[in-house]
Amino acid sequence: MKGLRLRAIILAAGRGLRLRPLTEDVPKPLLPVGGKPIVSYTLEVLAALGVEAAALNTHHLGEQIQQRLGASFGGLPLTYSPEAELLGTLGAMDPLREFMEPADLVLVINGDSLCRWPLKRLVKRHLKSGAGATLLFSKNANRAQFGGGVAVSRARVESFHPDEKSRTGTERLVFAGAHVFAPKLLDNVGEGTGDFVKDLYGPLVEVGGYIGAIATGRRWHDLGSPERYLEACLQQSLGSWTHRFLGRPWRADSASIHPSAKVKRSVVESGARLEPGVEVQESVVLPGAVVGEGSVVKRSIIGFNVELPASTMLVSRMVTRAKTGVAPEEDASTLGELSYTPLNRI
């Protein structure tokens, strides 16, 4: 790929509605996973690939994203495209036409997905195939959770319709939120809101257009719900054998864990504190949170700066600080200054 000019766009404008109230104060791309914001994992891969510049579209709490990441990341120059109103995945491209123009190819990646992206393979496949665009799919994602998946046959998208009968030799895979194309593909796309699949890729496939596909068996996480966010944190942070097989937690350097606390297969982020006698299993304790003495926390998320009362029993819940004047989520309950949301919300 020597001499190839690559640019990237990270879609970071979503509201994170299914992760509320966690995302009321922090935009989803900045939620921490093992001490780093989600989006930084993608930026690291882009920088290592040799991408010359990256852009992020922003909307909900977008100023936080720009403040946190700044003008560059690991030598990779960053551009921001604020949206007063959400434009959708395809609509976000129009304000970035000038940014894309110098590139031979543009990578577009969902900012709320976590993966050790095989982007080099994706680009090479695209260059070899001659497809209008090439999409990355996950081999292991649960199709039922993502609308039934996309019909793929011989490295080519056959249909985006989940209810359409698949031909022999076709498999259904989940789109992993990364794709690549030449900027000229968007020449006939107008201004306004739009969706890549609904308004571009789907219609192209229906008239016989060639949309390429590669599949990866690497771990891929769509962090669209509390349960998926928890699972992503645990798998990403507890990847070493000492964490997996010995049940050791991942902890930030500035986290405080009392010697009498028992912590297994959990993540304790910066500035968090676990007091005496605490038991934490398969959970995430976010920055600034305090788990009170004698509390038992299982498969839960303790939100930013939450002070969990002593002797609390917590199973499959996300706990956040209740906000004055803001109604709790429909599936949440409020006790004192804390809001308790089911982890496996629909």
Side-chain angles (χ1 to χ4, degrees), residues 86-149:
L86 285 173
L87 296 175
T89 57
L90 182 59
M93 299 300 105
D94 186 67
L96 288 165
R97 287 185 185 276
E98 185 176 341
F99 170 81
M100 292 186 284
E101 186 177 359
D104 298 314
L105 294 177
V106 176
L107 287 155
V108 176
I109 303 175
N110 290 353
D112 61 355
S113 293
L114 186 63
C115 182
R116 191 163 52 87
W117 303 105
L119 298 182
K120 186 174 183 178
R121 185 162 72 92
L122 178 66
V123 171
K124 283 186 173 181
R125 174 63 193 177
H126 180 75
L127 292 170
K128 183 178 180 180
S129 70
T134 303
L135 281 58
L136 177 69
F137 292 87
S138 170
K139 293 180 180 179
N140 303 321
N142 185 341
R143 297 191 304 271
Q145 293 181 351
F146 297 93

Side-chain angles (χ1 to χ4, degrees), residues 33 51 79 155 225 245 279 323:
V33 176
V51 170
T79 293
S225 69
F245 299 112
E279 293 185 26
K323 300 184 70 173

